Amino acid sequence: MAALALFKVFGSGGMQTVTLIPGDGIGPEISTAVMKIFEAAKAPIQWEEKNVTAIKGPGGKWIIPPEAKESMDKNKIGLKGPLKTPIAAGHPSMNLLLRKTFDLYANVRPCMSIEGYKTPYTDVDLVTIRENTEGEYSGIEHTIVDGVVQSIKLITEDASRKIAEYAFEYAKNNQRASVTAVHKANIMRMSDGLFLRKCRQVAENYRDIKFTEMYLDTVCLNMVQDPTQFDVLVMPNLYGDILSDLCAGLIGGLGVTPSGNIGANNVAIFESVHGTAPDIAGLDLANPTALLLSAVMMLRHMGMHDYSKKIETACFNTIRDKKVLTGDLGGKSKCSEFTAEICQRVRDMD
Amino acid sequence: ADFFALAPIQWEEKNVTAIKGPGGKWIIPPEAKESMDKNKIGLKGPLKTPIAAGHPSMNLLLRKTFDLYANVRPCMSIEGYKTPYTDVDLVTIRENTEGEYSGIEHTIVDGVVQSIKLITEDASRKIAEYAFEYAKNNQRASVTAVHKANIMRMSDGLFLRKCRQVAENYRDIKFTEMYLDTVCLNMVQDPTQFDVLVMPNLYGDILSDLCAGLIGGLGVTPSGNIGANNVAIFESVHGTAPDIAGLDLANPTALLLSAVMMLRHMGMHDYSKKIETACFNTIRDKKVLTGDLGGKSKCSEFTAEICQRVRDMD
């Protein structure tokens, strides 16, 4: 990897090693872009590149390569580009495999309007926190009789408490004013009712943070009329799947949306959530913004607020000024040009 | 008795407040049920369910009494009523009897709860057939099945299969499929790409409210419920607004547009067009608007304005 010429020690600092999973398609080029920008910012991050393509482990189960797992367990922090799951591969989705390997229980997506990237909304600033291990995605389904299928949604006290605790901790650490539990407990009284009760219990330990509750349908109705009324939103799996994508749409789509997954044992993997874009892979046309903002989220998670602010500002200002933009942002620049522009702005900030 | 549009509709007013029937079950008054069974078509305003009443929600009771299996919400942008979107013109068709709202839940062990989602071949086929018939009768170009069959392979998979099967009988209508999360992602960026959307219960609950938000909220959104034996009940989906009740401040648009939907359902296209146009033009011209639409007029003034426009069309 690029050798950093300067070492700076801040607080708990020194160089931090992060596992980097470039991914497929445009993954490698946007990863390179992020590394270049981090270098320009002189961020004390050392990248350990790993491949996570599934292999058959002992016992015939699909696993990620042991090398990749060891790296993540050691470093605790990872940055990941888009992964493809070949249809005929026979193994489950790579994202599912990673989720299970590291017990990634919380999916976090901050959605903030990007000045200069026009959408029907201008002041979005919210965070969706989705429980990512259970709920409607338990995968337990049965045919009862011919033509009658049941699908089981599981809600547990433990998972609900865990995600609620994460949401309030996140709010506290990021100076967010309120947490809203999103649910349908009027209809799903026991399951969503349990989820809601745990949120209420955890809320009592965070008296400085305002806690509210809102039905999912009401959230959607209000979200598209006035998203500024929302702050941190916490919810079970399916609702999170929907709302996180809805909110990404409000700020411009998956190409500009950061995402983080929090797991057991302090593992955290930050990732862009767009696809591999095979049609433009290798053509220097990709937009690295989503991966870069995910890397910024990662820096914030690691407490490196100055670096995160510097890089984020350089990225936002580049988009705002509209002189060097990739195609999807409405411009004609190459990925490398967009990256160079951000690097220059980062260097100018010193 | 008709009013100003001279629409050939006679109204039979009924109260549906739940009562205890023989055997102790909550039912709607027999008189109301007979009326609906006879007339087949109903128009309904908002109902309250008193918290201490002991009976289930009135809406749920009506749904079960008449087997209202399809909830239909046409969402069209209203010129003059500004939202971030200008060209919304879609219809959500929601299966309203099963899915995630079956109400079957259990505690497995302490701290572990399961909630059952039921998808049946019959209900899926029925809602798909309704969606395609609706598209055909209303000159809609496409029907999109909204699902999460990548995750819920068996249940949503069954729903999707029935949609595909029904689609084969409607070759003139384009059939597509899209994941619910992708629909939401795309809906808020460009709702004009959508036409008729058909989906199971929970997804319909969410999407129908999301789409209502795109055009301005529940105060301007019409809704219809289709039941067994050709019963159809059209209704406004906003609340009872007790704080302004009786003060001549309410906006009748949602109920009016639901009544327009009702006329269309009954094949009375000229009358529906006339009334709808008068309503839309009143809102577009912004001279007489109720408070929620940004004006200062009373409900009666807004109503009189629409009446005048309707009369002027003759």
Side-chain angles (χ1 to χ4, degrees):
Chain A
M1 281 298 89
L4 294 172
L6 285 171
F7 289 79
K8 281 191 177 178
V9 179
F10 287 94
S12 65
M15 291 295 288
Q16 303 266 355
T17 307
V18 165
T19 302
L20 175 67
I21 302 162
D24 308 306
I26 57 173
E29 51 202 292
I30 56 177
S31 298
T32 301
V34 170
M35 289 191 282
K36 284 204 169 104
I37 293 167
F38 270 53
E39 191 183 345
K42 304 199 203 101
I45 300 292
Q46 200 161 284
W47 306 99
E48 200 170 278
E49 225 179 287
K50 292 293 170 194
N51 184 309
V52 294
T53 309
I55 58 173
K56 275 246 168 118
K61 260 182 85 175
W62 286 102
I63 56 170
I64 65 170
E67 220 187 286
K69 185 175 188 311
E70 277 156 30
S71 171
M72 191 69 76
D73 285 338
K74 168 173 62 77
N75 298 330
K76 299 295 183 194
I77 308 289
L79 182 68
K80 169 189 158 296
L83 292 175
K84 71 175 189 276
T85 296
I87 298 187
H91 60 70
S93 107
M94 284 307 310
N95 288 321
L96 181 59
L97 202 49
L98 279 168
R99 196 174 311 137
K100 293 221 179 275
T101 306
F102 298 106
D103 190 23
L104 301 175
Y105 68 94
N107 177 257
V108 186
R109 282 202 209 166
C111 288
M112 203 155 75
S113 288
I114 298 176
E115 197 190 339
Y117 189 40
K118 195 161 163 28
T119 74
Y121 304 92
T122 52
D123 281 313
V124 182
D125 184 6
L126 55 85
V127 184
T128 57
I129 297 183
R130 160 191 181 184
E131 202 293 321
N132 215 2
T133 67
E134 55 178 35
E136 301 81 350
Y137 294 178
S138 302
I140 309 167
E141 297 188 288
H142 314 103
T143 299
I144 306 298
V145 295
D146 212 21
V148 180
V149 175
Q150 84 177 11
S151 186
I152 305 212
K153 162 175 167 166
L154 270 181
I155 296 287
T156 66
E157 192 167 347
D158 281 351
S160 302
R161 180 188 41 77
K162 227 166 139 184
I163 196 69
E165 277 168 356
Y166 183 79
F168 278 93
E169 273 298 305
Y170 182 95
K172 185 173 119 180
N173 295 338
N174 290 275
Q175 294 82 47
R176 308 295 305 205
S178 76
V179 171
T180 301
V182 182
H183 66 101
K184 286 290 294 180
N186 50 338
I187 308 283
M188 281 178 271
R189 295 170 187 275
M190 290 179 70
S191 49
D192 283 7
L194 173 57
F195 177 83
L196 205 51
R197 268 199 316 283
K198 300 314 286 180
C199 289
R200 288 172 184 160
Q201 282 171 13
V202 171
E204 300 198 352
N205 299 332
Y206 294 84
R207 298 295 177 127
D208 290 340
I209 295 168
K210 182 176 173 200
F211 173 63
T212 57
E213 309 169 2
M214 199 182 278
Y215 296 136
L216 173 59
D217 43 333
T218 309
V219 170
C220 291
L221 176 74
N222 290 343
M223 184 67 80
V224 296
Q225 297 185 83
D226 178 22
T228 66
Q229 64 189 283
F230 297 104
D231 194 334
V232 175
L233 300 145
V234 63
M235 64 217 90
N237 213 333
L238 172 70
Y239 310 162
D241 189 3
I242 300 164
L243 261 188
S244 62
D245 271 11
L246 199 168
C247 294
L250 300 179
I251 63 165
L254 302 185
V256 294
T257 302
S259 181
N261 299 285
I262 312 300
N265 301 318
N266 294 319
V267 164
I269 303 181
F270 298 86
E271 60 172 349
S272 55
V273 287
H274 52 66
T276 55
D279 51 325
I280 59 167
L283 301 177
D284 198 14
L285 292 171
N287 175 2
T289 299
L291 189 64
L292 183 64
L293 293 179
S294 301
V296 161
M297 217 182 140
M298 178 191 82
L299 288 171
R300 219 168 256 136
H301 177 85
M302 296 163 85
M304 297 188 187
H305 298 287
D306 290 343
Y307 289 108
S308 72
K309 196 80 198 130
K310 188 156 68 169
I311 294 171
E312 188 185 53
T313 303
C315 177
F316 283 167
N317 289 354
T318 300
I319 297 176
R320 179 198 63 200
D321 292 351
K322 301 200 198 199
K323 288 197 297 255
V324 187
L325 295 176
T326 49
D328 62 309
L329 293 173
K332 296 193 199 329
S333 302
K334 298 194 186 133
C335 175
S336 49
E337 293 168 334
F338 181 74
T339 305
E341 176 72 16
I342 298 177
C343 288
Q344 188 55 50
R345 287 173 184 265
V346 162
R347 278 189 292 259
D348 290 346
M349 282 186 211
D350 282 330
Chain B
D2 55 7
F3 279 84
F4 299 94
L6 300 165
I9 300 292
Q10 201 160 289
W11 306 99
E12 201 172 274
E13 231 180 279
K14 293 293 171 194
N15 183 311
V16 294
T17 309
I19 60 173
K20 275 244 166 122
K25 260 183 87 173
W26 287 103
I27 57 170
I28 65 170
E31 220 186 286
K33 184 174 190 310
E34 277 157 29
S35 170
M36 191 70 78
D37 286 338
K38 168 172 62 80
N39 298 328
K40 299 296 184 191
I41 309 288
L43 181 68
K44 168 189 160 292
L47 291 175
K48 71 178 189 279
T49 295
I51 298 190
H55 59 69
S57 105
M58 284 309 309
N59 288 320
L60 181 59
L61 202 48
L62 279 169
R63 196 174 311 137
K64 294 220 178 274
T65 305
F66 299 105
D67 189 24
L68 302 174
Y69 69 93
N71 178 258
V72 186
R73 281 203 209 166
C75 289
M76 202 154 76
S77 287
I78 298 176
E79 197 190 341
Y81 189 40
K82 194 162 163 30
T83 74
Y85 303 93
T86 51
D87 281 313
V88 182
D89 183 6
L90 56 85
V91 185
T92 57
I93 297 182
R94 161 191 180 184
E95 201 295 319
N96 215 2
T97 67
E98 59 177 34
E100 301 80 351
Y101 293 177
S102 303
I104 309 166
E105 298 189 287
H106 313 106
T107 298
I108 307 297
V109 294
D110 212 20
V112 179
V113 175
Q114 84 176 10
S115 185
I116 305 216
K117 162 175 167 168
L118 271 180
I119 295 288
T120 66
E121 191 167 347
D122 281 351
S124 302
R125 180 188 41 76
K126 227 165 140 184
I127 195 71
E129 276 168 357
Y130 184 78
F132 278 92
E133 274 298 303
Y134 182 95
K136 184 172 122 182
N137 295 338
N138 289 276
Q139 293 81 48
R140 308 293 306 204
S142 77
V143 172
T144 301
V146 182
H147 67 98
K148 286 291 292 180
N150 51 336
I151 306 284
M152 282 179 268
R153 295 169 187 275
M154 290 179 72
S155 49
D156 283 6
L158 173 57
F159 177 82
L160 205 52
R161 269 199 314 284
K162 299 315 285 181
C163 290
R164 288 173 183 160
Q165 281 171 15
V166 171
E168 301 198 351
N169 298 331
Y170 293 85
R171 298 294 178 126
D172 290 341
I173 294 168
K174 183 176 171 198
F175 174 64
T176 58
E177 310 168 1
M178 199 181 279
Y179 296 136
L180 174 60
D181 44 333
T182 308
V183 170
C184 292
L185 177 73
N186 291 342
M187 183 67 79
V188 296
Q189 296 185 82
D190 178 23
T192 66
Q193 63 189 282
F194 297 104
D195 195 334
V196 176
L197 300 145
V198 64
M199 65 218 88
N201 213 332
L202 172 71
Y203 310 161
D205 189 4
I206 299 164
L207 260 188
S208 62
D209 272 10
L210 200 168
C211 294
L214 301 179
I215 63 165
L218 302 185
V220 294
T221 302
S223 182
N225 299 285
I226 312 301
N229 301 319
N230 295 320
V231 165
I233 303 180
F234 299 84
E235 61 171 352
S236 54
V237 287
H238 52 66
T240 55
D243 50 326
I244 60 168
L247 301 177
D248 197 14
L249 293 171
N251 175 3
T253 300
L255 190 62
L256 184 63
L257 292 179
S258 301
V260 162
M261 217 182 141
M262 177 191 83
L263 288 171
R264 219 168 256 136
H265 176 86
M266 298 163 84
M268 299 190 187
H269 298 288
D270 289 344
Y271 288 109
S272 71
K273 196 80 200 130
K274 188 157 67 169
I275 295 171
E276 188 186 52
T277 303
C279 177
F280 283 166
N281 289 353
T282 301
I283 297 176
R284 180 201 62 202
D285 292 350
K286 300 199 201 204
K287 289 197 296 259
V288 188
L289 296 176
T290 49
D292 63 306
L293 293 173
K296 296 192 196 339
S297 303
K298 297 191 186 137
C299 175
S300 49
E301 292 168 334
F302 181 74
T303 305
E305 176 73 16
I306 297 177
C307 289
Q308 189 54 49
R309 286 172 184 265
V310 160
R311 276 189 295 259
D312 290 347
M313 283 186 211
D314 282 329

